[in-house]
Amino acid sequence: MTTTPPNTQGIPPDTTKVPEVTLGFWIIKIAATTVGETGGDSVSMSMNLGYLVGTGIFAALFVGAVILQIKAKRFHPVLYWATIIASTTVGTTLADFTTRSLGVGYAGGSSLLLILLLLSLYAWHRSLGSISVETVSTPKAEVFYWVTIMCSQTLGTALGDWTADTAGLGYIRAGIIFSVLLALVAALYLGTRISRTILFWAAFVLTRPLGAVVGDFLDKPVTAGGLALSRYVASAALLLFIAVCLVVIPQRPAREAH
């Protein structure tokens, strides 16, 4: 009989409820952020419910998913990724409500959301002494984790829209920029000794604007530089892709800090 060794931080892997960070993790994460854009726009725009109502709907789903995640006794891949998707959809509609309905603008919205993200990370570190997965094994740590993720998803949406629209780069060039930045983070991970925790959160934030511009590229009109695909069809296809990934890609709880 074999036993599963504890992770390098001395935390048994069955007590962590976040997944191991692998290439598969980032593939699913980018797909989840993209469906967050198309799914959020489906409710707020295609259904004509508006950003505020859409935010209320997705916020309720997100809070419900977080509660289930916290109550769970171990890592559940489907529940974890459902919570991530919920965070991306509420991030989409909340960012749109902040930047458009409140008239803050993409630059102002991105700046505000960056401050909120940094405050969340600071409060988490101040309270628990770490912002790595090592601390995501208690309800308090999980609350910090999911608040930080929601802030990062919202920031990423505003940042993606700012780059593609306000900066006038368009969806393809903006997507290339964020892809290059992610590749740079990967290079730093492989070639330097920079804190893995810092690099993890940098990559986590950058995947969101990448997903935002890819989602907009899929569903925006051709005249605006998009492919004019149905938001419902795009969302369904992305959800199917994520489901296949969850079956094909091994899903294990994290064993080391990130």
Side-chain angles (χ1 to χ4, degrees):
M1 183 177 68
T2 60
T3 58
T4 303
N7 60 24
T8 58
Q9 301 297 324
I11 304 296
D14 59 357
T15 65
T16 60
K17 289 184 283 181
V18 296
E20 186 176 25
V21 179
T22 62
L23 177 60
F25 172 90
W26 294 115
I27 291 173
I28 299 174
K29 171 61 165 61
I30 293 172
T33 59
T34 306
V35 78
E37 189 72 17
T38 58
D41 288 348
S42 294
V43 172
S44 63
M45 296 181 184
S46 297
M47 294 182 182
N48 294 316
L49 294 180
Y51 301 128
L52 184 59
V53 173
T55 298
I57 292 172
F58 290 124
L61 292 174
F62 174 63
V63 171
V66 169
I67 291 174
L68 291 176
Q69 177 76 11
I70 291 175
K71 287 185 175 181
K73 300 300 183 183
R74 60 184 179 84
F75 171 59
H76 295 280
V78 174
L79 176 57
Y80 176 84
W81 287 108
T83 310
I84 288 290
I85 292 172
S87 73
T88 66
T89 50
V90 71
T92 295
T93 54
L94 180 58
D96 288 341
F97 176 73
T98 302
T99 58
R100 300 174 185 175
S101 298
L102 295 182
V104 176
Y106 294 131
S110 297
S111 300
L112 174 62
L113 292 165
L114 176 60
I115 292 172
L116 291 176
L117 173 61
L118 294 176
L119 286 175
S120 177
L121 288 169
Y122 173 78
W124 181 1
H125 190 277
R126 180 82 173 177
S127 178
L128 298 177
S130 173
I131 54 174
S132 76
V133 73
E134 179 190 359
T135 67
V136 189
S137 57
T138 65
K140 184 177 182 180
E142 286 190 86
V143 170
F144 278 120
Y145 180 80
W146 288 110
V147 168
T148 301
I149 281 181
M150 199 267 288
C151 289
S152 76
Q153 307 285 36
T154 309
L155 168 64
T157 300
L159 188 59
D161 289 342
W162 183 17
T163 305
D165 296 332
T166 304
L169 295 178
Y171 306 122
I172 295 178
R173 282 183 291 179
I176 292 174
I177 288 173
F178 290 119
S179 296
V180 169
L181 290 174
L182 279 170
L184 176 60
V185 172
L188 291 174
Y189 178 86
L190 295 173
T192 72
R193 302 188 67 178
I194 294 175
S195 168
R196 276 23 189 173
T197 299
I198 292 175
L199 292 176
F200 169 80
W201 284 110
F204 201 96
V205 171
L206 286 172
T207 55
R208 184 61 188 97
L210 176 60
V213 296
V214 171
D216 283 339
F217 175 69
L218 292 175
D219 64 35
K220 287 297 187 284
V222 175
T223 54
L227 296 179
L229 300 179
S230 165
R231 292 187 178 108
Y232 303 122
V233 173
S235 298
L238 288 163
L239 288 172
L240 178 60
F241 174 77
I242 292 171
V244 171
C245 286
L246 291 179
V247 173
V248 174
I249 299 174
Q251 298 289 306
R252 295 183 292 268
R255 293 174 177 272
E256 61 182 36
H258 59 258

